[in-house]
Amino acid sequence: MSINMFIQHLFNAITLGSLYGLIAIGYTMVYGILRLINFAHGEVFMLGAYFIFFAITLLKLPWGLAAVAAVAVSSLCGIAVDRIAYKPLRDAPRISALISAIGVSFFIQNLSIVVFTGLPRAVHRPDWLVKVVNMGGIRILPLAVIVPLVTLLLVLGLLWVVYRTKPGLAMRAISKDIETTRLMGVSVNRIIALTFGIGSALAAASGIMWALRYPQIHPFMGLFPGLKAFIAAVFGGIGSIHGAVVGGMFLGLVEIMAVAFFPTLSGYRDAFAFVLLIIILLMKPTGLMGEKLEDKI
Amino acid sequence: MNSRTRNTVLNCLALALLGAFIWWAEGNLDGYKIQVLNLIAVNAILALSLNLIYGFTGMFSLGHAGFMAIGAYTCAILILTPAQKEIMWILEPLIWPLSVIQTPFFVAVAAGGLLAALLGLLIAIPVLRLGGDYLGIATLGFAEIIRVVLTNLDFITNGALGIKGIPAYANLWWNYGWLLLTLFFIIRLVGSNFGNVLKAIRDDEIAAKNMGINTFFFKVVAFTVGAFFAGVGGALMGSLVSTIDPKMFAFTLTFNILMITVAGGLGSITGSLIGSVVITVLLEWLRIVENPLVIGSFEIPGIPGMRMVIFSLALILIILFRSEGIMGMREFSWNRLFGRFSRGGDGA
């Protein structure tokens, strides 16, 4: 493989890794606080892509405004899912909430088939984003630079919120001990809603960029990226934001590079993430950067 | 007559009644209704096997579709004639010993179950160290890996094209026969001391460990037995629908089985049976909403996808408002039935 080809693959891998990372953050934040795999997270990612599509085609919004609107509406959807399907089950066994989450995921998928129809659609892409640039023999899309940059900005913003603001402090406190935090006078439910809102907004941002990079959207598009991003979150260490980003990047690298170096493996691409999951769970169940979550007796 | 002989007599009567019903159904019901009856039996086998794994032992497994796929493919390859196999495998010919073997249906179904059990055993040893939701995701991952492998092993599975024209041996007698076998085995297992250990693990694994139980061993055995019956269910399903391909064994299939088990009641055998009747009939009945509806001169167009919307909404509502399902952990028993009528008696 020539060095130019390698660099092109590297850009693809970083783009894909950023998108996984953004979704993974939502999983890791929710799991850190509620110990719940938010199965519907992949669906919020899908909704983000659909919302920008309709904002552009139906509402005729300019592109940037459409993106912001799509992120905002998806964020509200994420909060609504928590309120309706998870909040009543806070005191129920953890698996009940997980089954509810699976139900919500199927519900949103199928409702999307009913409302949006199952036909794949193409999101409008501004020309300057997808005009191939040739830099000394390396052909890349501007998107391949912009996606990681946007991701970086979003992650920095998120870290600022989590580590430098009061609500962020409350989030970290809840993930340590929800009852004590409640006793300290923190409005726990509001913070949980905020967590879902932020996580969903990031997933929607990822969905929008995914729709630009791989321009077909359909109601099932959230399923595999969602599952894989969850695996990325576990790989990086569930509960850790840095871990989610690193896990996402690593998964992106593995998927792109393994196929680039061993083209015969391309049929097995969707299995890589799951193999990775099983390996990490057996070798180091807390993930690369995770803290040990103790069993409550 | 003591209650033991009475129960034996009643069980035999119930069996005879079931036999008579099947005999009557075969002669008098149309093909569609028979197909629904068949589906009920197969779904019941699958729900019972998931109930053993999740309801009785507390292992949240989302890998059922994978075991079903193994069972279905094994059975299909074993019951097709060598001539059919030569025509069907277009991409690459089926590899040698498989291309000439043909076995009776019973052997093929059992082989499907055994292979699924073997795989279940291989999977169980690494993943059962995990608990709760991690186990769910890991088993879901395995099911997806199985699907990807099936898509790529052209020389065994015919790849994405799948297998068509599987002989429809799975009639009412076979399906209900296997259901009874499953039922008998699982009732005996759950009622035994072994079953008590499983329930102890489900209720509190740490406590069970402290009692000196090798919980890992018991979990592996329960998982493997569950995988066996999932494989059997998959094998029967393959013969029932006559066409299988890797797409069929996606997560949706596991979701349907989970729905039946949860709706019926986790940890209740009776619940799984009732659940499979209710959910199978509901799923068929919901096809109405996807078909165009004609009222007078108006035609309301059918809404594709609406069936699964209602179905998943039902699951959410069950979990939110009645998480113990139809039966909870209760079981049907003759004793209770008679205890209700004989006032003041000892209920036995």
Side-chain angles (χ1 to χ4, degrees), chain A residues 96-113:
Chain A
S96 297
L98 181 55
I99 294 176
S100 180
I102 295 174
V104 170
S105 159
F106 268 77
F107 176 72
I108 298 179
Q109 265 176 30
N110 288 291
L111 192 66
S112 306
I113 295 180

Side-chain angles (χ1 to χ4, degrees), chain A residues 42-100:
Chain A
E43 271 52 63
V44 175
F45 162 91
M46 177 268 292
L47 287 179
Y50 266 99
F51 287 152
I52 193 172
F53 172 81
F54 285 111
I56 292 173
T57 52
L58 288 184
L59 303 178
K60 311 276 183 225
L61 290 182
W63 194 86
L65 202 60
V68 174
V71 168
V73 178
S74 312
S75 177
L76 291 179
C77 289
I79 296 173
V81 166
D82 170 54
R83 273 291 139 92
I84 295 166
Y86 305 154
K87 194 164 166 244
L89 295 171
R90 292 269 200 270
D91 298 322
R94 270 170 55 197
I95 301 293
S96 297
L98 181 55
I99 294 176
S100 180

